[in-house]
Amino acid sequence: ATAEQWRGRSIYQLVTDRFARADNISAQCNTGDRKYCGGSWKGVMSHLDYIQGLGFDAVWISPVVENIDGESFYGEAYHGYWTKDLNDLNSHFGTADDLKALSDALHARNMYLMVDIVVNHVAAIPTKIEPATSTPSIDYSVYQSPLDSSSSFHPFCFIDFSLNNQTDVEQCWLGDANVPLPDLDTEDNDIVQMLNTWVANLTKTYNIDGLRIDTVKHIRKDFWPDFAKSSGVYTLGEVLDNRLNFTVDYTSMPYSPVLVAFFTLTALTDVIDGILDYPTYFSVINGFGSPSGNLSTIPDVVGTAQKTYHNALLNAGSFLENHDQPRFPNITKDAALVRNAVTWPFIQDGLPILYYGQEQGYDGSTDPNNREALWFSGYQTDNKPLVTHVQTLNKARKLAISANSNFLSSSLTFIPQSGGNTLAVSKPPMLSLLTNAGASASTQPVWAIPASAGLFSANEQLVDVLTCTALKADGSGGLTVSAKGGMPMVVLPASKLQSNANATLC
Ligand code: ABC
Ligand code: CA
């Protein structure tokens, strides 16, 4: 599917090994041990009702290809990012038929499949651990041709992020002496062609609708357009960085297709369709991480991205958690702050992404503790406030999309508020009111939406869909409303709720 077809979707991200087992047995899984726990593609398939019931219509699964086997210093390759053979599947997760069956089952529900892929590196368990400055002892014969020789990789050096040198970031290696990640020579045309052919086959064989691409900032930008085009699907890239003036370059690059006489016609091409919105993520966890967080950086970052990114943030992926970062309740347990932060990805411009376990209130810290087995939760949906919250947010977004044909092609605006602890986010017909006052604030914050914002008509009937509370615009179409318990509000006109037959909101 194309970026445009993806825009209205909402994505559930899961780690296959940890999301569900096919046998449904409440197996042990010691998160900190970094070992396979038995989750599989069949397990995902048997829990699609759960995912769909949360309101998601796309699933991002962790990498599927064969990984290095056995125990390393950092445990087993249960996460899937330690490629051994691009052309084979990770048998811990199932067979090719299982993966095809998952793809078919998703499509039968009109859901999309996104697969995580890594082309920057493979992984190795060294035959002997060397000091970090020496070339790791790696047996290249375990890889398939053309990767079965050191000459298919960049010369050894570990990335030193402190150098701030982009060539080093692209051509040195990730990982460390315990588990080096040999860096593919993506300057070599044969390697490039091999990868382009591989990705085209992968998406075709498993009927994949979109790709989450790992380590995008670790390969030269001009590698990506052909690669993304070869995939034939929507590409969402991971550029793990909070510097907007760095991430912006992954949204487009100058491309000179034609030289006409003395003029070069320079056009812009997408490097990839969209990037995971890390810069906003960092502002959001800081802003909502405590009542003293600075919320004002959110409008700054979003505003700059809207102005400078090709396609603004419309093709980006917006998230609060993922498998690399501490879960939000690990930063704060304040239920009101959590509720506000979880709301963010669903009310902004890009594609909302929810990391499995968020809906169950999981609170793991950094890797490996943020990859808990979901079967611990029993997949309970009753009496789970975050489950209800996520369901409501997905419904509200869908309703807004169907009520406004420009919803997915226009950017949100912030309606300036006084005082530092509130945000008012307008994306008609949806108005979202957020605060970091927290659950125990002594005075409740107040949002004031002036009539001049032009959002409502005089005395218009409105509903906060998070609590199903009726609100009413004032006589000139403004709205002043006070928070309750530091909770957010998502306001929609009552008329939109009534006129939408599919909406089971309030
Ligand atoms: C393994 C063990 C861990 C152990 C670790 C040392 O080694 O499993 O338990 O703690 C995979 C696995 C990991 C595994 C690694 C390495 O491989 O999932 O469990 O860790 O073996 C992607 C994936 C990620 C994956 C890989 C590798 C890449 O999402 O799951 O990891 O295939 C860099 C990369 C980024 C990568 C990330 C893990 O490392 O750029 O693509 N993620 C700075 C750098 C970033 C860097 C980050 C973390 O540090 O700029 O490039 O990410 O090292 C902001 C700044 C950022 C800064 C952050 C920390 O702060 O703006 O620049 O990021 O303010
Ligand atoms: Ca590289």
Side-chain angles (χ1 to χ4, degrees), residues 120-455:
N120 175 62
H121 51 263
V122 293
I125 300 180
T127 48
K128 164 168 162 275
I129 298 193
E130 308 280 354
T133 45
S134 316
T135 305
S137 313
I138 291 171
D139 175 9
Y140 288 94
S141 73
V142 306
Y143 308 115
Q144 301 299 307
S145 170
L147 302 182
D148 54 350
S149 150
S150 65
S151 61
S152 295
F153 297 87
H154 287 128
F156 167 74
C157 48
F158 282 124
I159 295 171
D160 178 353
F161 286 105
S162 71
L163 297 178
N164 227 328
N165 175 329
Q166 186 55 17
T167 306
D168 183 270
V169 166
E170 291 170 4
Q171 301 187 12
C172 288
W173 300 15
L174 279 164
D176 60 21
N178 298 309
V179 182
L181 305 178
D183 200 74
L184 267 63
D185 183 1
T186 43
E187 272 59 40
D188 179 300
N189 194 48
D190 291 345
I191 300 287
V192 170
Q193 292 317 317
M194 182 275 282
L195 293 172
N196 290 350
T197 307
W198 170 78
V199 77
N201 275 327
L202 181 82
T203 51
K204 225 178 288 140
T205 307
Y206 301 104
N207 213 346
I208 295 166
D209 306 288
L211 297 171
R212 180 272 191 187
I213 307 181
D214 194 64
T215 35
V216 163
K217 78 183 210 189
H218 298 283
I219 298 185
R220 63 192 164 90
K221 288 172 201 83
D222 54 2
F223 164 83
W224 294 113
D226 283 347
F227 181 81
K229 194 158 166 262
S230 306
S231 79
V233 297
Y234 170 64
T235 47
L236 177 62
E238 180 219 19
V239 180
L240 203 177
D241 216 286
N242 69 354
R243 295 166 300 170
L244 270 170
N245 60 357
F246 179 82
T247 55
V248 65
D249 289 341
Y250 293 86
T251 69
S252 70
M253 57 184 270
Y255 176 67
S256 314
V258 217
L259 189 72
V260 193
F262 301 105
F263 301 97
T264 309
L265 293 184
T266 306
L268 284 181
T269 183
D270 289 340
V271 176
I272 40 178
D273 289 319
I275 59 178
L276 287 161
D277 190 9
Y278 256 111
T280 310
Y281 160 80
F282 285 113
S283 294
V284 167
I285 57 161
N286 286 324
F288 290 103
S290 85
S292 56
N294 182 359
L295 285 183
S296 72
T297 62
I298 299 175
D300 289 350
V301 170
V302 169
T304 308
Q306 287 174 338
K307 268 188 245 117
T308 58
Y309 280 19
H310 189 215
N311 289 318
L313 281 164
L314 301 170
N315 287 344
S318 181
F319 60 95
L320 179 68
E321 293 182 8
N322 65 33
H323 59 299
D324 288 337
Q325 306 297 338
R327 289 183 180 275
F328 192 75
N330 191 262
I331 300 169
T332 175
K333 292 258 179 328
D334 182 310
L337 291 176
V338 171
R339 213 69 77 81
N340 277 277
V342 171
T343 304
W344 172 261
F346 295 88
I347 57 143
Q348 56 73 61
D349 294 331
L351 288 70
I353 303 173
L354 186 100
Y355 180 53
Y356 86 100
Q358 248 187 281
E359 74 280 13
Q360 296 287 347
Y362 277 13
D363 63 358
S365 60
T366 45
D367 169 12
N369 303 315
N370 50 6
R371 299 156 180 198
E372 310 95 319
L374 194 61
W375 50 90
F376 296 157
S377 72
Y379 307 95
Q380 285 304 319
T381 52
D382 294 339
N383 301 317
K384 294 273 174 147
L386 286 173
V387 167
T388 310
H389 186 57
V390 167
Q391 287 169 331
T392 305
L393 290 168
N394 269 324
K395 283 181 198 162
R397 187 171 177 90
K398 292 290 186 222
L399 191 147
I401 290 168
S402 63
N404 174 4
S405 57
N406 295 322
F407 186 87
L408 297 172
S409 54
S410 49
S411 295
L412 67 80
T413 51
F414 290 92
I415 299 172
Q417 299 294 299
S418 62
N421 63 356
T422 54
L423 288 178
V425 181
S426 168
K427 201 163 162 80
M430 192 159 85
L431 170 71
S432 304
L433 306 173
L434 305 179
T435 174
N436 69 353
S440 45
S442 47
T443 49
Q444 289 300 316
V446 173
W447 295 279
I449 311 301
S452 61
L455 296 188

